[in-house]
Amino acid sequence: MKRMLFVYNSNAGRGLIRLHLADIIDIFVKAGYETVVYPTQSYKDAYKKIRHLEEDYDLVVCSGGDGTLDEVVTGMMKRKDKMPIGYIPAGTTNDFASSLHISKDMLSAANTAVHGRPFACDIGTFNKDIFVYVAAFGLFTDVSYQTNQNLKRVLGHAAYVLEGVKQLSNVPSYKIKVTHDGEVIEDEFMIGMVTNSKSVAGFKGITGKQVEFDDGEFEVTLVRRPKNLIELQEIIASILIENFDSRHMYTFKTSEIVFESAVEIPWTLDGEYGGEHEVVKISNEKQALQIMVEAEEVEEEE
């Protein structure tokens, strides 16, 4: 019999996994897996469990929000012997699962985890840290970890929007030197994102239209600080209608990028606080980890 470790965060989203836990485990057992179940106990617990795992497993499945997935992937990337990862999204926005067409229905996602195909996905390094689909700073990007958890449970995606709008009266910006592929950009930015996703904080299209998850490159979006309210309105409008305005934005692909600033800038990694940094080096680890997805979606991406 094959062996699986199932790690889940019972507090993610609205705690719905508690209603489906028995059915999910039944799907795993019927698929031929001896299943070890581990509910996370605290912040970074999933990372520690995977990082220091001594037992042999054929598959690791996790359930929770993007933060739980980030912990599991980070722990796996720190290991020499890496195992495929299945993901059952249970958070508020689940950007990465949405990008890979992993169902929001928990039982469907559980079936994908055990009956789908492994997809070799790019993973990002951020200085000494790891991220799955987004490293970002500035307006809107810190909404995910600043939004009150109770508010997120009640309002869902609307909570992100509301929290972001509250920031418009005091737009933060940073003077940054950006180096990539032999090119240097020096400007003042209010948003910066390095992504491997089709959405961020639930906003689709904000990362570009030609997104591939296994090409060894990230999509980069840098938004200049607006000089007046009219420019700010133009920027917000271009983001909402998914039509990037080159007058206010830089957009490009790269496998490696360095950000340098005179002050420490707060970053978010996969919707979780990533610390404050003056220098950040981001690299793409091409096809570094296998994620279980629907077979037809793998073929479509390839």
Coordinates of all heavy atoms in Angstrom, one line a residue, residues 160-222:
Y160 N -10.5 41.9 1.1 CA -9.2 42.3 0.5 C -9.4 43.7 -0.2 O -8.6 44.6 -0.1 CB -8.7 41.3 -0.5 CG -8.2 40.0 0.1 CD1 -9.1 38.9 0.3 CD2 -6.9 39.9 0.6 CE1 -8.7 37.7 0.8 CE2 -6.5 38.7 1.2 CZ -7.4 37.6 1.3 OH -7.0 36.5 1.8
V161 N -10.5 43.7 -0.9 CA -10.8 45.0 -1.7 C -11.0 46.1 -0.7 O -10.4 47.2 -0.9 CB -12.0 44.8 -2.6 CG1 -12.3 46.1 -3.3 CG2 -11.8 43.6 -3.5
L162 N -11.8 45.9 0.3 CA -12.1 47.0 1.3 C -10.8 47.5 2.0 O -10.6 48.7 2.1 CB -13.1 46.5 2.4 CG -14.5 46.2 1.9 CD1 -15.3 45.6 3.0 CD2 -15.2 47.6 1.5
E163 N -10.0 46.5 2.4 CA -8.7 46.9 3.1 C -7.8 47.7 2.1 O -7.1 48.6 2.5 CB -8.0 45.7 3.6 CG -6.9 46.0 4.6 CD -7.4 46.5 5.9 OE1 -8.5 46.3 6.2 OE2 -6.5 47.2 6.6
G164 N -7.8 47.3 0.8 CA -7.0 48.0 -0.2 C -7.4 49.4 -0.4 O -6.6 50.3 -0.5
V165 N -8.7 49.5 -0.5 CA -9.3 50.9 -0.8 C -8.9 51.8 0.3 O -8.7 53.0 0.1 CB -10.8 50.8 -1.0 CG1 -11.4 52.2 -1.0 CG2 -11.1 50.1 -2.3
K166 N -8.9 51.4 1.6 CA -8.6 52.2 2.7 C -7.2 52.8 2.6 O -6.9 53.8 3.2 CB -8.7 51.4 4.0 CG -10.1 51.2 4.5 CD -10.2 50.1 5.5 CE -9.3 50.3 6.7 NZ -9.4 49.2 7.7
Q167 N -6.3 52.2 1.8 CA -5.0 52.7 1.7 C -4.8 53.8 0.7 O -3.7 54.4 0.6 CB -4.0 51.5 1.3 CG -4.0 50.4 2.4 CD -3.1 49.3 2.0 OE1 -2.0 49.5 1.4 NE2 -3.4 48.0 2.2
L168 N -5.8 54.0 -0.1 CA -5.6 54.9 -1.2 C -5.4 56.4 -0.8 O -4.8 57.2 -1.5 CB -6.9 54.9 -2.1 CG -7.1 53.6 -2.9 CD1 -8.3 53.7 -3.8 CD2 -5.9 53.2 -3.7
S169 N -5.8 56.7 0.4 CA -5.6 58.1 0.9 C -4.2 58.3 1.3 O -3.8 59.5 1.5 CB -6.5 58.3 2.1 OG -6.2 57.4 3.2
N170 N -3.4 57.3 1.4 CA -2.0 57.5 1.8 C -1.2 56.4 1.1 O -0.8 55.4 1.6 CB -1.8 57.3 3.3 CG -0.4 57.6 3.8 OD1 0.3 58.3 3.1 ND2 0.0 57.0 4.9
V171 N -0.9 56.7 -0.2 CA -0.2 55.8 -1.1 C 1.3 55.7 -0.7 O 2.0 56.6 -0.9 CB -0.4 56.2 -2.5 CG1 0.3 55.2 -3.4 CG2 -1.9 56.2 -2.9
P172 N 1.8 54.5 -0.3 CA 3.2 54.3 0.0 C 4.0 54.2 -1.3 O 3.4 53.7 -2.3 CB 3.2 53.1 0.8 CG 2.1 52.3 0.3 CD 1.0 53.3 0.0
S173 N 5.2 54.6 -1.3 CA 6.0 54.4 -2.5 C 7.5 54.3 -2.1 O 7.9 54.7 -1.0 CB 5.9 55.5 -3.5 OG 6.3 56.7 -3.0
Y174 N 8.3 53.7 -2.9 CA 9.7 53.4 -2.6 C 10.6 53.6 -3.8 O 10.3 53.2 -4.9 CB 9.8 51.9 -2.2 CG 8.9 51.5 -1.1 CD1 7.7 50.9 -1.4 CD2 9.2 51.8 0.3 CE1 6.8 50.5 -0.4 CE2 8.3 51.4 1.3 CZ 7.1 50.8 1.0 OH 6.2 50.4 2.0
K175 N 11.7 54.3 -3.6 CA 12.7 54.5 -4.6 C 13.6 53.2 -4.6 O 14.2 52.9 -3.6 CB 13.6 55.7 -4.3 CG 12.8 57.0 -4.4 CD 13.7 58.2 -4.2 CE 12.9 59.5 -4.3 NZ 13.8 60.7 -4.1
I176 N 13.6 52.6 -5.8 CA 14.2 51.3 -5.9 C 15.1 51.2 -7.2 O 14.7 51.7 -8.2 CB 13.2 50.2 -5.9 CG1 12.3 50.2 -4.6 CG2 13.9 48.8 -6.0 CD1 11.2 49.2 -4.6
K177 N 16.2 50.5 -7.0 CA 17.0 50.1 -8.2 C 16.7 48.7 -8.5 O 16.9 47.8 -7.6 CB 18.5 50.3 -7.9 CG 19.4 49.9 -9.0 CD 20.9 50.0 -8.6 CE 21.9 49.5 -9.6 NZ 23.3 49.6 -9.2
V178 N 16.3 48.4 -9.7 CA 15.9 47.1 -10.1 C 16.8 46.6 -11.2 O 17.0 47.3 -12.2 CB 14.4 47.0 -10.7 CG1 14.1 45.6 -11.1 CG2 13.5 47.6 -9.6
T179 N 17.5 45.4 -11.0 CA 18.4 44.9 -12.0 C 17.9 43.5 -12.5 O 17.6 42.7 -11.7 CB 19.8 44.8 -11.4 OG1 20.2 46.0 -10.8 CG2 20.8 44.3 -12.4
H180 N 17.9 43.4 -13.8 CA 17.5 42.1 -14.4 C 18.0 42.0 -15.8 O 18.0 42.9 -16.6 CB 16.0 41.9 -14.4 CG 15.3 42.7 -15.4 ND1 14.9 42.3 -16.7 CD2 14.9 44.1 -15.4 CE1 14.3 43.2 -17.4 NE2 14.3 44.3 -16.7
D181 N 18.5 40.8 -16.1 CA 19.0 40.5 -17.5 C 19.8 41.6 -18.1 O 19.7 42.0 -19.3 CB 17.8 40.3 -18.4 CG 16.8 39.2 -17.8 OD1 17.3 38.1 -17.7 OD2 15.7 39.5 -17.5
G182 N 20.7 42.2 -17.3 CA 21.7 43.2 -17.8 C 21.0 44.6 -17.9 O 21.7 45.6 -18.3
E183 N 19.8 44.7 -17.5 CA 19.1 46.1 -17.5 C 18.9 46.6 -16.1 O 18.7 45.8 -15.2 CB 17.7 45.9 -18.2 CG 17.0 47.2 -18.3 CD 15.6 47.1 -18.9 OE1 15.3 46.0 -19.4 OE2 14.8 48.0 -18.9
V184 N 19.0 47.9 -16.0 CA 18.9 48.6 -14.7 C 17.7 49.6 -14.8 O 17.7 50.4 -15.7 CB 20.2 49.3 -14.2 CG1 19.9 50.0 -12.9 CG2 21.3 48.3 -14.0
I185 N 16.8 49.5 -13.9 CA 15.7 50.4 -13.8 C 15.7 51.1 -12.4 O 15.8 50.5 -11.4 CB 14.3 49.7 -13.9 CG1 14.2 49.0 -15.2 CG2 13.2 50.7 -13.8 CD1 13.0 48.1 -15.3
E186 N 15.7 52.5 -12.4 CA 15.7 53.2 -11.2 C 14.5 54.1 -11.2 O 14.4 55.0 -12.1 CB 17.0 54.0 -11.0 CG 18.2 53.1 -10.8 CD 19.4 53.9 -10.3 OE1 19.4 54.5 -9.2 OE2 20.4 53.9 -11.1
D187 N 13.6 53.9 -10.3 CA 12.3 54.7 -10.3 C 11.7 54.6 -8.9 O 12.2 54.0 -8.0 CB 11.4 54.1 -11.3 CG 10.5 55.2 -12.0 OD1 10.1 56.2 -11.2 OD2 10.2 55.1 -13.2
E188 N 10.5 55.3 -8.7 CA 9.8 55.3 -7.5 C 8.5 54.5 -7.7 O 7.7 54.8 -8.6 CB 9.4 56.7 -7.0 CG 8.9 56.8 -5.6 CD 8.8 58.2 -5.1 OE1 9.2 59.1 -5.8 OE2 8.3 58.4 -4.0
F189 N 8.3 53.4 -7.0 CA 7.2 52.5 -7.2 C 6.3 52.4 -6.0 O 6.7 52.4 -4.9 CB 7.8 51.1 -7.5 CG 8.7 51.0 -8.7 CD1 10.1 50.9 -8.4 CD2 8.3 51.1 -10.0 CE1 11.0 50.8 -9.5 CE2 9.1 51.0 -11.0 CZ 10.5 50.9 -10.8
M190 N 5.0 52.2 -6.4 CA 4.0 52.0 -5.3 C 3.6 50.5 -5.3 O 3.0 50.1 -4.3 CB 2.8 52.9 -5.5 CG 1.8 52.5 -6.6 SD 0.3 53.5 -6.5 CE -0.7 52.7 -7.8
I191 N 3.8 49.8 -6.3 CA 3.6 48.4 -6.4 C 4.7 47.6 -7.1 O 5.2 48.1 -8.1 CB 2.2 48.0 -7.1 CG1 1.0 48.7 -6.4 CG2 2.0 46.5 -7.1 CD1 -0.3 48.5 -7.2
G192 N 5.1 46.5 -6.5 CA 6.0 45.6 -7.2 C 5.7 44.2 -7.0 O 5.4 43.8 -5.9
M193 N 5.6 43.4 -8.1 CA 5.2 42.0 -7.9 C 6.0 41.1 -8.8 O 6.2 41.4 -10.0 CB 3.7 41.8 -8.3 CG 2.7 42.5 -7.4 SD 1.0 42.1 -7.8 CE 0.9 42.8 -9.5
V194 N 6.5 40.0 -8.3 CA 7.2 39.0 -9.0 C 6.4 37.8 -8.9 O 6.2 37.2 -7.7 CB 8.6 38.7 -8.5 CG1 9.3 37.7 -9.3 CG2 9.5 40.0 -8.5
T195 N 5.8 37.3 -9.9 CA 4.7 36.3 -9.8 C 4.8 35.1 -10.7 O 5.5 35.1 -11.8 CB 3.3 36.9 -10.1 OG1 3.3 37.4 -11.5 CG2 3.1 38.1 -9.2
N196 N 4.2 34.0 -10.3 CA 4.0 32.8 -11.1 C 2.6 32.3 -10.9 O 2.3 31.3 -10.4 CB 5.0 31.7 -10.7 CG 5.1 30.6 -11.7 OD1 5.0 30.8 -12.9 ND2 5.3 29.4 -11.3
S197 N 1.7 33.2 -11.3 CA 0.2 33.0 -11.0 C -0.6 33.9 -11.9 O -0.1 34.9 -12.5 CB -0.1 33.4 -9.5 OG -1.4 33.4 -9.3
K198 N -1.8 33.5 -12.1 CA -2.7 34.3 -13.0 C -3.6 35.3 -12.2 O -4.3 36.0 -12.7 CB -3.7 33.3 -13.8 CG -2.9 32.5 -14.8 CD -3.9 31.7 -15.6 CE -3.1 30.9 -16.7 NZ -4.0 30.1 -17.6
S199 N -3.4 35.2 -10.8 CA -4.1 36.2 -10.0 C -3.4 36.4 -8.7 O -2.6 35.6 -8.3 CB -5.5 35.7 -9.7 OG -5.5 34.5 -8.8
V200 N -3.6 37.6 -8.1 CA -3.0 38.0 -6.8 C -4.1 38.6 -6.0 O -4.7 39.5 -6.4 CB -1.8 38.9 -7.0 CG1 -1.3 39.4 -5.6 CG2 -0.6 38.3 -7.8
A201 N -4.2 38.0 -4.8 CA -5.3 38.5 -3.8 C -6.7 38.5 -4.5 O -7.5 39.4 -4.2 CB -5.0 39.9 -3.3
G202 N -6.8 37.6 -5.4 CA -8.1 37.4 -6.1 C -8.3 38.3 -7.3 O -9.3 38.1 -8.1
F203 N -7.3 39.2 -7.6 CA -7.4 40.0 -8.8 C -6.8 39.3 -10.0 O -5.6 39.0 -10.1 CB -6.7 41.3 -8.6 CG -7.3 42.2 -7.6 CD1 -6.9 42.3 -6.3 CD2 -8.4 43.0 -8.0 CE1 -7.5 43.1 -5.4 CE2 -9.0 43.8 -7.0 CZ -8.6 43.9 -5.7
K204 N -7.6 38.9 -11.0 CA -7.2 38.1 -12.1 C -6.6 39.1 -13.2 O -7.1 40.2 -13.3 CB -8.3 37.3 -12.7 CG -8.8 36.2 -11.8 CD -9.9 35.4 -12.5 CE -10.3 34.2 -11.6 NZ -11.4 33.4 -12.2
G205 N -5.6 38.6 -13.9 CA -5.1 39.4 -15.0 C -4.0 40.4 -14.6 O -3.4 41.0 -15.5
I206 N -3.8 40.6 -13.3 CA -2.9 41.6 -12.8 C -1.5 41.3 -13.1 O -0.6 42.1 -13.1 CB -3.2 41.9 -11.3 CG1 -2.5 43.2 -10.9 CG2 -2.7 40.7 -10.5 CD1 -2.8 43.6 -9.5
T207 N -1.2 40.0 -13.4 CA 0.2 39.5 -13.6 C 0.5 39.3 -15.1 O 1.6 38.9 -15.4 CB 0.4 38.2 -12.9 OG1 -0.5 37.2 -13.4 CG2 0.1 38.3 -11.4
G208 N -0.4 39.6 -16.0 CA -0.2 39.5 -17.4 C -1.0 38.4 -18.0 O -1.7 37.6 -17.2
K209 N -1.0 38.2 -19.3 CA -1.9 37.3 -20.0 C -1.2 36.0 -20.4 O -1.8 35.0 -20.7 CB -2.5 38.0 -21.1 CG -3.4 39.2 -20.7 CD -4.1 39.8 -21.9 CE -4.9 41.1 -21.6 NZ -5.9 40.8 -20.6
Q210 N 0.1 36.0 -20.6 CA 0.9 34.9 -21.1 C 1.7 34.2 -19.9 O 2.9 34.3 -19.9 CB 1.8 35.3 -22.2 CG 1.1 35.9 -23.4 CD 0.2 35.0 -24.1 OE1 0.4 33.8 -24.2 NE2 -1.0 35.5 -24.5
V211 N 0.9 33.7 -19.0 CA 1.6 33.1 -17.8 C 1.7 31.6 -18.0 O 0.8 30.9 -18.3 CB 0.7 33.3 -16.5 CG1 1.4 32.7 -15.3 CG2 0.5 34.8 -16.3
E212 N 3.0 31.1 -17.8 CA 3.3 29.7 -17.8 C 4.0 29.4 -16.5 O 4.8 30.1 -16.0 CB 4.2 29.3 -19.0 CG 3.5 29.6 -20.4 CD 4.4 29.2 -21.5 OE1 5.3 28.4 -21.3 OE2 4.2 29.7 -22.7
F213 N 3.7 28.2 -16.0 CA 4.1 27.9 -14.6 C 5.4 27.0 -14.6 O 5.9 26.7 -13.5 CB 3.0 27.2 -13.9 CG 1.7 27.9 -13.9 CD1 0.7 27.5 -14.7 CD2 1.5 29.0 -13.1 CE1 -0.5 28.2 -14.8 CE2 0.3 29.7 -13.2 CZ -0.7 29.3 -14.0
D214 N 5.9 26.7 -15.8 CA 7.1 25.8 -15.8 C 8.1 26.2 -16.8 O 8.9 25.4 -17.3 CB 6.6 24.4 -16.2 CG 5.9 24.3 -17.5 OD1 5.6 25.3 -18.1 OD2 5.7 23.2 -18.0
D215 N 8.1 27.5 -17.1 CA 9.0 28.1 -18.2 C 10.3 28.6 -17.6 O 11.2 29.1 -18.4 CB 8.3 29.1 -19.0 CG 7.9 30.3 -18.2 OD1 8.0 30.3 -17.0 OD2 7.4 31.3 -18.8
G216 N 10.5 28.6 -16.3 CA 11.7 29.1 -15.7 C 11.8 30.6 -15.6 O 12.8 31.1 -15.3
E217 N 10.6 31.3 -15.8 CA 10.6 32.7 -15.7 C 9.4 33.2 -14.9 O 8.4 32.6 -14.9 CB 10.6 33.4 -17.1 CG 11.8 33.2 -18.0 CD 11.8 34.0 -19.2 OE1 10.7 33.9 -20.0 OE2 12.7 34.7 -19.5
F218 N 9.6 34.3 -14.2 CA 8.6 35.0 -13.5 C 8.0 36.1 -14.3 O 8.7 36.7 -15.2 CB 9.1 35.5 -12.2 CG 9.4 34.5 -11.2 CD1 10.6 34.5 -10.6 CD2 8.4 33.6 -10.7 CE1 11.0 33.5 -9.6 CE2 8.7 32.6 -9.8 CZ 10.0 32.6 -9.2
E219 N 6.8 36.5 -14.1 CA 6.2 37.7 -14.6 C 6.4 38.8 -13.6 O 6.1 38.7 -12.4 CB 4.7 37.6 -14.9 CG 4.3 36.7 -16.1 CD 4.7 35.3 -15.9 OE1 4.5 34.7 -14.8 OE2 5.3 34.7 -16.9
V220 N 7.0 40.0 -14.0 CA 7.2 41.1 -13.1 C 6.4 42.3 -13.5 O 6.3 42.6 -14.7 CB 8.7 41.5 -13.2 CG1 9.0 42.7 -12.3 CG2 9.6 40.3 -12.9
T221 N 5.7 42.9 -12.5 CA 4.9 44.1 -12.7 C 5.4 45.1 -11.7 O 5.3 44.9 -10.5 CB 3.4 43.8 -12.5 OG1 3.0 42.7 -13.3 CG2 2.6 45.0 -12.7
L222 N 5.8 46.3 -12.2 CA 6.2 47.4 -11.4 C 5.4 48.6 -11.7 O 5.4 49.0 -12.9 CB 7.7 47.7 -11.6 CG 8.7 46.5 -11.4 CD1 10.1 46.9 -11.8 CD2 8.7 46.1 -9.9

